[in-house]
Amino acid sequence: MNNTIPTRIYLAEEEMPKFWYNLRSDMKEKPDPILHPGTLQPVVPSDMEPVFCKEAVKQELDDDTRLVPIPERIQDFYRAYRPSALIRAYYLEKALGTPAEIYYKFEGTNTSGSHKLNSAGPQAYFAKEQGLQSLTTETGAGQWGTALAMACGFYGLDLTVYMVKVSSEQKPYRKAVMETYGAKVIPSPSNTTEAGRRILEKDPNTGGSLGCAISEAVETAVKTDKCRYVLGSVLNHVLLHQSIIGLETKAAMDKYGIKPDIIIGCAGGGSNLGGLIAPFMGEKLSGKSNARFIAVEPASCPTFTRGRYVYDFGDTAKTTPLVRMQTLGNGFIPSANHAGGLRYHGMSAILSKLYHDGHLEARAENQTEVFDAAIRFMKTEGILPAPESSHAIKAAIDEALECKKTGEKKVILFGLSGTGYFDLSAYMSYNAKTLSDMVPTNEELERGFVTIPDIPQNK
Amino acid sequence: MNNTIPTRIYLAEEEMPKFWYNLRSDMKEKPDPILHPGTLQPVVPSDMEPVFCKEAVKQELDDDTRLVPIPERIQDFYRAYRPSALIRAYYLEKALGTPAEIYYKFEGTNTSGSHKLNSAGPQAYFAKEQGLQSLTTETGAGQWGTALAMACGFYGLDLTVYMVKVSSEQKPYRKAVMETYGAKVIPSPSNTTEAGRRILEKDPNTGGSLGCAISEAVETAVKTDKCRYVLGSVLNHVLLHQSIIGLETKAAMDKYGIKPDIIIGCAGGGSNLGGLIAPFMGEKLSGKSNARFIAVEPASCPTFTRGRYVYDFGDTAKTTPLVRMQTLGNGFIPSANHAGGLRYHGMSAILSKLYHDGHLEARAENQTEVFDAAIRFMKTEGILPAPESSHAIKAAIDEALECKKTGEKKVILFGLSGTGYFDLSAYMSYNAKTLSDMVPTNEELERGFVTIPDIPQNK
């Protein structure tokens, strides 16, 4: 294909971002403050520092600093696998016969297989700088655990990963990668924690959930002073680190004078979507762009489209601070869905607020249709996408087909957050036509909502 | 790290090679001609065209054309995943404390996970252009089968893959990727062919071998007129396509004025090594460079270091043309070795000739030490390497440590031909310390050599 815009756009090393961008600084309406679960007052750093690294807490509570310098050693870390490619989907466009231009930012070529490494590196670095010896975390589909295992291997930190049991059984190789990088992987719920034992007593056969694995990881972290807990999504500082995705994308697009009309990402906790849209949403909030933003979630875990915008805990044991967010209730256990990374009851406070205020759209998709889109994509673009990322592909294809109807030549950008190398059992089920859509009934959702704490909401 | 040479060098789209480079054209001593197994005369195109695509045969037998234009549509195909990155191993260098500069060309970020796609694309394209409907092939570790499945999916061709049985059992997910791309995968030996049935009769429990899978694939291909057989390594036209690796590498190095002193690649059939070294070896043969070239093979399948340079068949059923090459004998069955892609009895005729004439060195490595090197690499450079590629890593580290002893600031280049995503069972064995080195005894080698046909050799 002979076009002026190359198929793959890579930034040169000197063009790579030196700062993270804090989207909150440009939000006139900020997300509601994080509350201490005991006092119901906004948390102060000392409330969070027993659990999280100091620098992470500072970033978490900083709504104002617009550009946060990326420390030199983290720039080094990023250079080991970044920049990622911004790819023009010429083949997909042609197959769809759409007048739309489709671009995707592909975060899946590093060994962890996803964008998660963008925050794992900084968080491990901050822990090391603080003099810590070890970290704990949870992982669902395994991307975050793998990324953190790599980062801890790189910076020389011990790591314990609580892996949602159903995932650890479905993905033994994910576990193997983490262990090869030196991490200790414990299927959750486990009997190594109070939180785990409590859940196992109630339901010895549970496949686990992210909310439960978080409880176990936090409990373990606070037991010793040289250990902290790190989270791979949802929180503000994670979205800050992930802004590298959007910043690189914007720099690459600016180089070629490309302005996206529609920006799409899959949303589990929001780290990939939040990172991709950050600088573009910043422009929109300051009136410089009319782009549309679309969050795509699985119909089996419809946090945006069927959740509530209220204060809730981040974990099932109700030990975390309270965050005002779109939530299905901390007790919501999603039905087994192979798009494991999107199975969280809550959502980034930043994205929740943007959705609440009408700046961000959301839609829920059934997984069989998501896999249809994935197959269409892999056969044209050549890349085997993660089931999570395929939610974004589904929406991008739908928007491109809408352009075909209307004849509009829109510019569609989506985030391809990871590869499907470790999700082949899901593809095998798809090939065997044994995948099903597991949409929760209203009654099931109600059972989640009753676990939401009864706290006065602002509005 | 603050250096003038970036960590990752990507060519711009307009800098990408438009021609393949045919190393044979610059060899004063050409590889011996391929012989017809019946007449023992040099083959002519009509001998090979019932088995292979016409264009592949033409390229196979062309020792003279120096630059072969890459058809536009294959340039398109390449643009879907190329250029690959040339990476400066700053982190590994630092960890080793070596004065050497280490570079590696990383071919593992496409969905097939290895360099094999570079020849799968062209071969599928040539088949399509010729009006064929289907292709057959064999695959060992699965990289080639995956790559060809992707290419056939892209160009709309049916594909049957004979997969070495032990691999298909060890790597169900490899099989799943191929099937997801629409390929039919048959564990070999199978009862779908004469060749397979014959081997199963002798040894019903055999894990299979590449040589046997080749026999089955060829037998199936010649049964119908609209079907041909394609091979992913060893042959001259495959090395021609793989010259894209070396050409990109050389262009990237020339941009920064880098001259490699030592060039290293793993060698199974030779496609990755042959592709990487092509333009550099061309310079050496014409007196413009003094670089050293090192082929690294597994001690379990020591084709260079303990094989013979004689005419042999490419398959165990003795149906292919005869090629003068380094060989362990077409009946050699290597002991199970996780570096599956390096388990072939023969070797590229081009590389065999270069070795025979003293232009190429070779060394054999034990797999436990290869995995030690792989772990060292993944913890510093972040990339999980394929066991095959890790043979090159091992030699690169050894050469860098030698520089540390002597204080020499050599420039070392190696090929990182693929990722280890699908080899995690091997890493699990390594972690569990159950890997062993399986070096054939002299008696075992002799049993292979007796299968070599008794043909007068030139010298």
Side-chain angles (χ1 to χ4, degrees):
Chain A
M1 306 193 187
N2 216 340
N3 296 275
T4 48
I5 295 172
T7 308
R8 303 168 90 79
I9 307 175
Y10 287 105
L11 296 180
E13 198 157 291
E14 64 273 16
E15 296 169 322
M16 281 173 64
K18 304 274 184 298
F19 296 84
W20 288 306
Y21 167 62
N22 183 0
L23 176 57
R24 283 167 288 163
S25 70
D26 283 326
M27 291 170 72
K28 273 156 228 149
E29 299 249 349
K30 313 285 181 200
D32 287 2
I34 301 170
L35 301 184
H36 187 288
T39 64
L40 299 189
Q41 293 302 305
V43 293
V44 291
S46 60
D47 294 331
M48 295 183 76
E49 286 169 2
V51 178
F52 293 98
C53 300
K54 268 190 183 165
E55 189 64 26
V57 171
K58 189 180 145 203
Q59 294 175 345
E60 186 64 25
L61 301 179
D62 179 355
D63 279 355
D64 304 311
T65 307
R66 192 160 182 276
L67 296 176
V68 179
I70 304 175
E72 270 296 331
R73 287 201 57 203
I74 298 176
Q75 291 187 41
D76 279 350
F77 184 86
Y78 281 164
R79 274 195 286 273
Y81 67 99
R82 306 198 68 84
S84 66
L86 176 68
I87 304 175
R88 172 77 182 267
Y90 283 118
Y91 308 98
L92 179 62
E93 289 171 21
K94 201 175 159 195
L96 297 174
T98 176
E101 291 179 16
I102 308 176
Y103 296 85
Y104 55 99
K105 178 73 167 170
F106 183 32
E107 293 288 318
T109 56
N110 71 75
T111 281
S112 80
S114 84
H115 69 292
K116 295 285 184 179
L117 202 53
N118 302 331
S119 185
Q123 293 202 56
Y125 169 76
F126 294 142
K128 191 72 182 176
E129 284 292 290
Q130 194 180 326
L132 301 178
Q133 283 162 2
S134 62
L135 293 173
T136 69
T137 198
E138 80 294 326
T139 198
Q143 283 98 335
W144 169 244
T146 310
L148 194 63
M150 287 177 70
C152 285
F154 190 84
Y155 288 112
L157 289 159
D158 291 336
L159 173 65
T160 303
V161 179
Y162 286 90
M163 184 169 190
V164 176
K165 194 189 275 171
V166 60
S167 288
S168 78
E169 286 161 2
Q170 275 172 5
K171 303 186 175 185
Y173 291 163
R174 271 283 178 200
K175 189 161 169 282
V177 185
M178 290 184 255
E179 289 174 344
T180 304
Y181 274 106
K184 189 173 160 191
V185 181
I186 301 175
S188 167
S190 76
N191 55 20
T192 66
T193 64
E194 275 298 323
R197 285 190 290 271
R198 226 164 24 235
I199 289 167
L200 284 174
E201 261 169 44
K202 263 197 246 167
D203 181 2
N205 298 318
T206 175
S209 70
L210 267 183
C212 162
I214 293 175
S215 299
E216 294 203 79
V218 171
E219 185 183 323
T220 303
V222 297
K223 269 181 204 155
T224 59
D225 188 45
K226 288 289 184 193
C227 182
R228 291 290 186 285
Y229 165 74
V230 291
L231 187 69
S233 190
V234 182
L235 295 180
N236 297 333
H237 64 276
V238 178
L239 268 73
L240 177 72
H241 306 153
Q242 294 294 355
S243 69
I244 188 84
I245 305 173
L247 292 164
E248 277 188 14
T249 304
K250 190 158 185 314
M253 290 192 135
D254 285 350
K255 254 174 99 163
Y256 289 90
I258 307 159
K259 295 254 169 230
D261 298 304
I262 305 174
I263 303 170
I264 299 168
C266 65
S271 71
N272 151 64
L273 177 68
L276 175 68
I277 68 173
F280 300 101
M281 180 62 86
E283 284 198 331
K284 176 167 183 168
L285 294 178
S286 44
K288 288 180 211 147
S289 136
N290 283 315
R292 282 172 59 204
F293 297 84
I294 305 174
V296 193
E297 61 188 9
S300 60
C301 191
T303 315
F304 276 119
T305 52
R306 296 172 71 195
R308 294 182 182 169
Y309 183 55
V310 292
Y311 272 107
D312 194 6
F313 293 99
D315 69 334
T316 50
K318 308 193 183 197
T319 59
T320 67
L322 291 158
V323 176
R324 180 115 188 252
M325 60 183 174
Q326 288 292 132
T327 179
L328 294 165
N330 61 72
F332 177 77
I333 302 258
S335 46
N337 181 321
H338 287 292
L342 306 180
R343 298 176 72 228
Y344 183 61
H345 69 273
M347 181 55 62
S348 149
I350 298 171
L351 297 181
S352 296
K353 176 68 176 164
L354 292 169
Y355 178 71
H356 184 67
D357 291 352
H359 302 301
L360 173 67
E361 305 167 36
R363 61 181 69 163
E365 299 288 357
N366 285 325
Q367 81 170 346
T368 46
E369 286 151 31
V370 166
F371 273 87
D372 288 343
I375 299 291
R376 199 161 186 176
F377 179 79
M378 73 185 279
K379 287 204 174 159
T380 50
E381 291 292 312
I383 297 170
L384 180 77
E388 293 89 340
S389 321
S390 303
H391 288 75
I393 295 173
K394 169 74 169 81
I397 289 177
D398 287 347
E399 291 297 324
L401 291 176
E402 186 59 30
C403 286
K404 188 176 179 178
K405 270 194 218 155
T406 62
E408 285 173 291
K409 196 177 150 55
K410 286 189 183 162
V411 177
I412 299 169
L413 164 67
F414 73 89
L416 188 69
S417 53
T419 69
Y421 290 124
F422 294 99
D423 303 285
L424 282 160
S425 59
Y427 279 97
M428 286 161 87
S429 303
Y430 175 84
N431 292 342
K433 300 196 193 305
T434 59
L435 272 192
S436 62
D437 300 317
M438 288 157 291
V439 182
T441 62
N442 287 335
E443 290 68 36
E444 282 164 341
L445 287 188
E446 283 303 326
R447 279 203 289 279
F449 291 143
V450 297
T451 63
I452 295 173
D454 188 19
I455 293 170
Q457 313 291 337
N458 289 341
K459 50 187 169 178
Chain B
M1 310 197 179
N2 215 341
N3 297 275
T4 48
I5 295 172
T7 308
R8 303 168 90 78
I9 306 176
Y10 287 105
L11 296 180
E13 198 157 291
E14 64 273 16
E15 296 169 323
M16 281 173 65
K18 304 275 186 295
F19 296 85
W20 289 305
Y21 167 63
N22 183 1
L23 176 57
R24 283 167 289 164
S25 69
D26 284 327
M27 290 170 73
K28 272 156 232 150
E29 299 249 348
K30 314 282 181 202
D32 286 2
I34 300 170
L35 301 184
H36 188 287
T39 64
L40 298 188
Q41 293 304 304
V43 293
V44 291
S46 59
D47 294 330
M48 295 182 77
E49 284 169 2
V51 179
F52 294 98
C53 300
K54 269 191 184 163
E55 188 64 26
V57 172
K58 188 180 147 205
Q59 295 176 344
E60 186 65 23
L61 300 178
D62 179 356
D63 280 354
D64 303 312
T65 307
R66 193 162 181 275
L67 296 176
V68 179
I70 304 174
E72 271 295 333
R73 285 201 58 202
I74 298 177
Q75 291 187 40
D76 279 350
F77 184 86
Y78 281 164
R79 274 196 285 274
Y81 67 99
R82 304 198 70 83
S84 67
L86 176 68
I87 304 176
R88 172 78 182 266
Y90 282 120
Y91 308 99
L92 179 62
E93 288 171 20
K94 201 176 157 195
L96 297 174
T98 177
E101 291 179 16
I102 308 175
Y103 295 84
Y104 55 100
K105 179 73 166 169
F106 183 32
E107 292 288 319
T109 57
N110 70 75
T111 281
S112 78
S114 84
H115 68 292
K116 294 286 184 180
L117 201 54
N118 301 332
S119 186
Q123 294 202 56
Y125 169 76
F126 294 140
K128 190 74 184 174
E129 283 292 291
Q130 193 179 326
L132 301 177
Q133 282 162 2
S134 60
L135 292 172
T136 70
T137 197
E138 77 296 326
T139 198
Q143 283 98 334
W144 169 246
T146 310
L148 194 63
M150 286 177 68
C152 286
F154 190 84
Y155 289 112
L157 288 159
D158 290 337
L159 173 65
T160 302
V161 180
Y162 286 91
M163 185 170 189
V164 177
K165 195 189 275 170
V166 60
S167 287
S168 78
E169 285 161 3
Q170 274 171 7
K171 304 186 175 187
Y173 291 163
R174 271 282 177 202
K175 189 162 170 281
V177 184
M178 290 184 255
E179 288 173 345
T180 305
Y181 274 105
K184 187 173 160 192
V185 181
I186 301 175
S188 166
S190 75
N191 54 20
T192 65
T193 65
E194 276 299 322
R197 285 190 290 270
R198 227 168 18 238
I199 288 167
L200 283 175
E201 260 168 45
K202 263 197 246 165
D203 180 1
N205 297 316
T206 176
S209 70
L210 266 182
C212 162
I214 292 174
S215 299
E216 294 203 76
V218 171
E219 185 182 326
T220 303
V222 297
K223 269 180 205 158
T224 59
D225 188 46
K226 287 289 184 192
C227 182
R228 290 293 184 284
Y229 165 74
V230 291
L231 187 68
S233 191
V234 183
L235 295 180
N236 298 334
H237 65 276
V238 178
L239 267 73
L240 176 72
H241 306 152
Q242 294 295 354
S243 69
I244 187 85
I245 305 173
L247 293 165
E248 276 187 14
T249 304
K250 190 157 186 315
M253 289 191 138
D254 285 350
K255 254 175 100 162
Y256 290 90
I258 307 159
K259 294 255 169 229
D261 299 303
I262 305 174
I263 302 171
I264 300 167
C266 65
S271 72
N272 151 64
L273 178 68
L276 175 68
I277 69 173
F280 299 101
M281 181 61 86
E283 285 199 330
K284 177 169 183 166
L285 294 178
S286 45
K288 289 181 210 144
S289 136
N290 283 315
R292 284 172 58 205
F293 297 83
I294 306 173
V296 193
E297 62 188 9
S300 60
C301 192
T303 316
F304 276 118
T305 53
R306 298 173 69 194
R308 293 182 182 167
Y309 183 56
V310 292
Y311 273 106
D312 194 7
F313 292 99
D315 69 333
T316 50
K318 308 190 184 199
T319 58
T320 68
L322 290 159
V323 176
R324 178 113 188 254
M325 59 182 174
Q326 287 292 132
T327 179
L328 294 165
N330 61 72
F332 176 77
I333 301 260
S335 44
N337 181 321
H338 288 292
L342 307 179
R343 298 176 72 228
Y344 183 62
H345 69 273
M347 180 57 62
S348 148
I350 298 171
L351 296 181
S352 296
K353 177 68 176 162
L354 292 169
Y355 178 71
H356 184 67
D357 291 353
H359 302 301
L360 172 67
E361 305 166 36
R363 60 182 71 163
E365 299 287 356
N366 286 323
Q367 81 171 347
T368 46
E369 285 151 32
V370 166
F371 272 88
D372 288 343
I375 299 290
R376 199 161 185 176
F377 180 79
M378 73 184 279
K379 287 203 174 162
T380 50
E381 291 292 311
I383 297 169
L384 180 77
E388 292 88 342
S389 321
S390 303
H391 288 74
I393 296 174
K394 168 75 169 79
I397 288 177
D398 287 347
E399 291 298 324
L401 290 176
E402 187 61 29
C403 286
K404 189 176 177 177
K405 269 193 218 155
T406 63
E408 284 173 292
K409 197 176 147 57
K410 287 190 181 160
V411 176
I412 300 168
L413 164 67
F414 72 90
L416 188 69
S417 53
T419 70
Y421 289 125
F422 293 98
D423 304 285
L424 282 161
S425 58
Y427 279 97
M428 286 161 87
S429 304
Y430 176 84
N431 291 341
K433 300 194 192 309
T434 58
L435 272 191
S436 62
D437 300 317
M438 288 157 292
V439 183
T441 61
N442 287 335
E443 290 69 35
E444 281 164 342
L445 287 187
E446 283 304 326
R447 279 203 291 278
F449 291 143
V450 297
T451 63
I452 295 173
D454 189 19
I455 294 170
Q457 310 293 334
N458 289 341
K459 49 187 169 181

